[in-house]
Amino acid sequence: MSQTSSQKIVEQARARGAYSHLIGSRPTDKMSALDAIASALSFPDWFGRNLDALYDCLTDLSWLPYGEHVLVWEGSDLLKQADPKAYLAIRGVLSDAERALAPGGDRADSRRLTVALTDG
């Protein structure tokens, strides 16, 4: 049996000592995508369910252990097809958060965010 791309990403993350966070659903609208990301990363109760709050939580992650955190979103193309505007907005926030937490980023600390989007 062949592995899915998500399984490969999780194994590669584990091999380098990173924590994997899988989006368990396949959201097709903005609110369900925000909720799925929040669930995958165990966002605190104060998460405001909007793009600004998404960025704030993604660039904080203080409730998670130190190290790299890989957010794996299998089927991200479903949101892209159903609501391209929401997909682009959320994808932009994910990219901005990755840059902010990267070495040399304006929010860099001992946690790093890597986002892996897969079709399917």
Side-chain angles (χ1 to χ4, degrees):
M1 177 187 280
S2 67
Q3 289 184 310
T4 66
S5 24
S6 293
Q7 289 170 324
K8 289 178 186 175
I9 292 166
V10 167
E11 285 184 9
Q12 291 167 350
R14 188 177 300 129
R16 66 178 182 265
Y19 300 92
S20 297
H21 306 272
L22 294 162
I23 293 181
S25 63
R26 294 176 178 250
T28 57
D29 63 73
K30 181 180 175 181
M31 292 311 293
S32 62
L34 291 173
D35 289 342
I37 293 167
S39 177
L41 289 167
S42 304
F43 281 3
D45 291 338
W46 52 260
F47 172 58
R49 297 184 76 219
N50 61 56
L51 295 174
D52 289 336
L54 177 64
Y55 180 81
D56 290 344
C57 284
L58 289 172
T59 57
D60 180 351
L61 302 179
S62 59
W63 56 92
L64 296 175
Y66 291 114
E68 180 186 8
H69 293 271
V70 180
L71 178 65
V72 183
W73 185 355
E74 185 172 20
S76 62
D77 57 323
L78 295 176
L79 178 61
K80 186 177 185 178
Q81 292 167 7
D83 190 344
K85 185 177 176 181
Y87 172 83
L88 290 174
I90 291 170
R91 182 65 187 114
V93 171
L94 293 170
S95 294
D96 290 347
E98 276 184 294
R99 276 193 299 279
L101 288 177
D106 64 349
R107 300 262 184 123
D109 70 359
S110 297
R111 291 174 190 86
R112 190 168 149 226
L113 177 67
T114 303
V115 177
L117 305 178
T118 66
D119 295 337

